[in-house]
C-alpha cells in the first residue's frame, strides 16, 4: 500500500487546558498486519471527554497515553486487509482503540462488527456506542429512576446526557437537563422531550435549577462536577442516587479550589439524606452490551429516542474540536469524519 | 405513685462542643398512662453519638429535640403500669424513645419485649440493639465484604465498630480497627480478634494505617470522618464500598475547615476508583431486625463475638458521660444505669 498513515500523537502533557501545541500531526507508514491481525482504515473518530484524563500522567482507571504515542480514541473503521478468519475485507467495525489516525492494526479482540444497513455507522460511536451504553448502564444500574422521580443531567445535549434524559422519560421519570445556551435548551425540551431545561450560562444556576425541580432531585447523573454539582447538592432528596460518570469541569483543574473545604458538608449530606454516590465506567457493565444494543436500537427504530451528531471534517481538525468539547462548544455527539 | 420523675432536658443548643450547661436536671411528676398506654421505669439509658445531632436545630433525618424537652435516648425499661393487653407489669422492654429520665409513657408502638434470661438486658442497647443492628445492616448491605478483603472501621472498640470488625472476620475478611490508646488497641487484637489495630493518637496515622492495610482497603465503615477519613481515602481500592454511618469528628464542627476545597479530589477518587458511598441509618433496614437478632444472638451464644460495656451510674452522670463519648473517653458501649 503506497498510502501514508496520518496520526496525531501527544506532543506534551498539558497543565490545565490543552492547546493545539500539545498535539502533533505526523505522517508514518501504513502499519502492516501480521498473522492473526487485520488492517483498519478509520472512517469516524470519536472525541470524548475521558481523553483529557489520558493526556495526564496521573493514575486512573486506564493507563495514560505516552508522549509521542498516538492519541487514544474509538473509531468506526473498515477492514482493508485481514489475516483473520472472523473478519473480511469490507467489514465495518467499531473499536475503542482505533486512535487519532487513518489506519490501525488490530488482533480482533477489540472489534465489534456493525451493520451499515441498520443505522448510520457513526452512531456506533454515540447513541449506539460507548456514550450511549454509559448513559444506559449508569442510569439503570445506579440511578434506577422510578416513575414520578426527578432525574437531572448536565451536558444534556451531549451523547451521554441526551440519552440519560430520554431513558429517564421512558422509565416514567421527569427529566431535567442542564446545557449551555438557549439553542441547546430548546433542543432538550422541543426535540428530546425533556420536561425542563436550565441554561447554566444565564444568571443564577442554583435558583434556576431549584425552580426546574420543584420536588427535588432523586437521580443526578454526574458528568460535569463543579458549579453544577454545587447547585444540585442542596436539592438532592433523601435516598437520591448519584452515578458518577465524569467530571468535565475538573479535568483541566491544576490545583484544588480555594477553601473552605466543603468535604464535611458533602459527607453530612450523604449521611443525613442517605445519598448513594457510585463511580463507574462503562466497561464495568460490559456484560450488558447486548441488552443495551437491543433496547436502544429498538427505541431508535420506534422513534422513541433521538440523537444529534456534531460532525467535524478531517483528522487535522481533531485537536481544536477536542479542545472545544471540553468547553462545551460542540452540540451533539462530536465525531471526526476521516 | 408518690415518686418523682427526674429528667434531663435540653437547656440550650450548643455551638460546638456541648458542656454540662446545655443540659438541665429537672424534677417532675411521674406521668400517668392513659388508656392504651403503659408506664415505663427506665433501667438503662443508652448514650450514642447521634444525640449530638438532635441537640442542633439543623435539618436531618430526625427532628431536633426542642429546648426544655427531655433529651431523646433509647432505654431498657420495666413496665410498671399497663393499660394495654399486650404488655404486663414486670415486662422488660427496649425502646428508642425512653429518654433521659426515670419514667416514660408509651403507646406500645415503640416497645420490643426482651427476655432477661437470654442475655443481660443492657445488651438490648448495644450489641443486640440499635448499635449492633447499625453495624450488621450497614456492613452486610452496603459494605458486603468478601473473603480476603480488608475492612477498616474507626471508633473500633465502640458498640458499632467492634461488631463491624467481628462480623467482617466471620465473613472471612481481614479486620483493621482504629482506636485511641494502647489499651483499646490491645483489646481489638487480643479480645475481639481484629487482625490489626491502629492507634490514632500516636504519630503518623496515614503511615500507620497504610502499614496495617498492605492490600489497601475494600470496605471502610465510616463513623468518624475527619483525619481518619483523610488517611483512608488514598488507600481505598477500586470498587471499595463506604457505608456512611456517622461522622463523630464533625458533630461539634462550627464552621467548615479551611481550604483548599478537597471535594474535587474526593469526587475524582469516586470516579477513577469506582467507589461507592452510601449513607444510611439503621431504621432504613428495619425489616432486617429479626435476621439481625437471630444471627447476632447466635454468634454471641457460640462465643464467636464479644462485647464490652462502659456502665456509668445514675441519671445525673449522663451529661458528662455523653460529652466524654464525643471525645472517645468511653471504652465500650456507654450506658447509664438508672
Amino acid at each position: 500500500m503506497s498510502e501514508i498513515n496520518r496520526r496525531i500523537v501527544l506532543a506534551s502533557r498539558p497543565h490545565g487546558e490543552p492547546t493545539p501545541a500539545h498535539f502533533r500531526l505526523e505522517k508514518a507508514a501504513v502499519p502492516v498486519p501480521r498473522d492473526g491481525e487485520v488492517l483498519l482504515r478509520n472512517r469516524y473518530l470519536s472525541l470524548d471527554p475521558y481523553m483529557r484524563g489520558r493526556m495526564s500522567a496521573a493514575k486512573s482507571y486506564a493507563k495514560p497515553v505516552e508522549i509521542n504515542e498516538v492519541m487514544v480514541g474509538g473509531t468506526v473503521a473498515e477492514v482493508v486487509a485481514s489475516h483473520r478468519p472472523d473478519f473480511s475485507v469490507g467489514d465495518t467495525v467499531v473499536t475503542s482503540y482505533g486512535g487519532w489516525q487513518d489506519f490501525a492494526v488490530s488482533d480482533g479482540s477489540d472489534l465489534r462488527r456493525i451493520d451499515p444497513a441498520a443505522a448510520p455507522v457513526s452512531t456506533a460511536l454515540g447513541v449506539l456506542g460507548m456514550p450511549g451504553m454509559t448513559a444506559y448502564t449508569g442510569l439503570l444500574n445506579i440511578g434506577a429512576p422510578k416513575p414520578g422521580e426527578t432525574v437531572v443531567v448536565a451536558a444534556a445535549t451531549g451523547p451521554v446526557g441526551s440519552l440519560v434524559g430520554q431513558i429517564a422519560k421512558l422509565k416514567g421519570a421527569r427529566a431535567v437537563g442542564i446545557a449551555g445556551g438557549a439553542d441547546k435548551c430548546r433542543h432538550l425540551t422541543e426535540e428530546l422531550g425533556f420536561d425542563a431545561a436550565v441554561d447554566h450560562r444565564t444568571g443564577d444556576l442554583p435558583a434556576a435549577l431549584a425552580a426546574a425541580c420543584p420536588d427535588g432531585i432523586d437521580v443526578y447523573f454526574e458528568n460535569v462536577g463543579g458549579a453544577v454539582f454545587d447547585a444540585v447538592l442542596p436539592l438532592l432528596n433523601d435516598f437520591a442516587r448519584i452515578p458518577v460518570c465524569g467530571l468535565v469541569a475538573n479535568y483541566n483543574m491544576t490545583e484544588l479550589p480555594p477553601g473552605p473545604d466543603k468535604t464535611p458538608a458533602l459527607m453530612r449530606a450523604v449521611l443525613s439524606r442517605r445519598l448513594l454516590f457510585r463511580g463507574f465506567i462503562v466497561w464495568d457493565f460490559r456484560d450488558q452490551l447486548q441488552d443495551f444494543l437491543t433496547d436502544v436500537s429498538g427505541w431508535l427504530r420506534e422513534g422513541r429516542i433521538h440523537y444529534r451528531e456534531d460532525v467535524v471534517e478531517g483528522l487535522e481538525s481533531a485537536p481544536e474540536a477536542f479542545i472545544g468539547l471540553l468547553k462545551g462548544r460542540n452540540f451533539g455527539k462530536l465525531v471526526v469524519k476521516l
Side-chain angles (χ1 to χ4, degrees), chain A:
Chain A
M1 208 169 292
S2 65
E3 291 188 85
I4 55 154
N5 183 29
R6 293 178 314 145
R7 60 191 196 184
I8 295 179
V9 301
L10 181 63
S12 58
R13 298 201 187 282
H15 179 73
E17 287 185 15
T19 69
H22 296 110
F23 303 92
R24 189 174 63 243
L25 179 63
E26 292 184 343
K27 293 179 181 178
V30 173
V32 178
R34 289 174 295 189
D35 210 37
E37 293 183 336
V38 302
L39 180 65
L40 305 174
R41 179 193 280 271
N42 288 324
R43 296 302 187 189
Y44 287 94
L45 164 65
S46 184
L47 294 178
D48 301 282
Y50 77 84
M51 295 166 174
R52 177 63 187 83
R54 306 294 176 86
M55 297 176 77
S56 295
K59 182 178 178 297
S60 187
Y61 53 80
K63 70 176 187 55
V65 175
E66 299 298 331
I67 302 292
N68 299 323
E69 213 176 55
V70 176
M71 280 291 297
V72 70
T75 62
V76 164
E78 185 187 337
V79 175
V80 291
S82 178
H83 300 312
R84 293 190 61 85
D86 48 349
F87 290 99
S88 308
V89 170
D91 281 355
T92 303
V93 295
V94 61
T95 163
S96 298
Y97 301 103
W100 296 27
Q101 58 189 345
D102 291 322
F103 293 92
V105 155
S106 165
D107 67 3
S109 62
D110 56 320
L111 303 182
R112 181 166 60 81
R113 195 180 286 101
I114 55 179
D115 176 5
V121 296
S122 57
T123 58
L125 300 174
V127 65
L128 289 174
M130 182 275 286
M133 184 158 158
T134 299
Y136 177 92
T137 57
L139 182 67
L140 298 182
N141 289 280
I142 304 174
K146 292 188 271 287
E149 288 192 329
T150 297
V151 175
V152 170
V153 64
T157 59
V160 178
S162 65
L163 200 55
V164 165
Q166 292 181 90
I167 295 177
K169 291 295 297 175
L170 288 174
K171 298 297 176 183
R174 204 167 159 272
V176 177
I178 301 172
D183 283 354
K184 289 183 179 177
C185 286
R186 206 159 33 236
H187 178 68
L188 290 176
T189 52
E190 293 180 9
E191 313 281 331
L192 302 185
F194 280 57
D195 296 280
V198 173
D199 186 349
H200 65 75
R201 292 191 186 152
T202 58
D204 187 344
L205 177 61
L209 188 61
C213 303
D215 300 323
I217 298 172
D218 301 293
V219 178
Y220 171 56
F221 192 100
E222 171 65 295
N223 52 11
V224 300
V228 171
F229 180 71
D230 291 343
V232 163
L233 186 58
L235 301 175
L236 291 172
N237 290 329
D238 286 356
F239 305 106
R241 288 82 64 197
I242 300 93
V244 180
C245 165
L247 297 162
V248 177
N250 300 356
Y251 289 170
N252 288 333
M253 192 178 276
T254 55
E255 56 182 17
L256 291 172
D261 180 9
K262 292 185 284 192
T263 312
L266 173 57
M267 292 299 288
R268 182 177 190 283
V270 169
L271 174 60
S272 67
R273 285 184 260 158
R274 284 89 111 217
L275 308 177
L276 181 150
F277 283 76
R278 182 174 158 195
F280 76 102
I281 63 168
V282 61
W283 305 124
D284 297 339
F285 300 106
R286 65 176 71 243
D287 59 339
Q288 296 176 22
L289 174 63
Q290 209 46 59
D291 290 341
F292 156 68
L293 289 172
T294 302
D295 282 351
V296 177
S297 301
W299 293 330
L300 272 173
R301 265 197 315 273
E302 296 160 10
R304 301 177 74 189
I305 60 173
H306 301 88
Y307 67 93
R308 179 182 172 118
E309 291 181 339
D310 188 337
V311 183
V312 170
E313 296 280 336
L315 181 67
E316 65 283 2
S317 308
E320 280 290 4
F322 175 68
I323 291 164
L325 172 71
L326 297 177
K327 296 177 174 170
R329 290 205 189 118
N330 59 306
F331 188 175
K333 171 63 190 118
L334 185 60
V335 290
V336 180
K337 191 167 189 300
L338 301 178

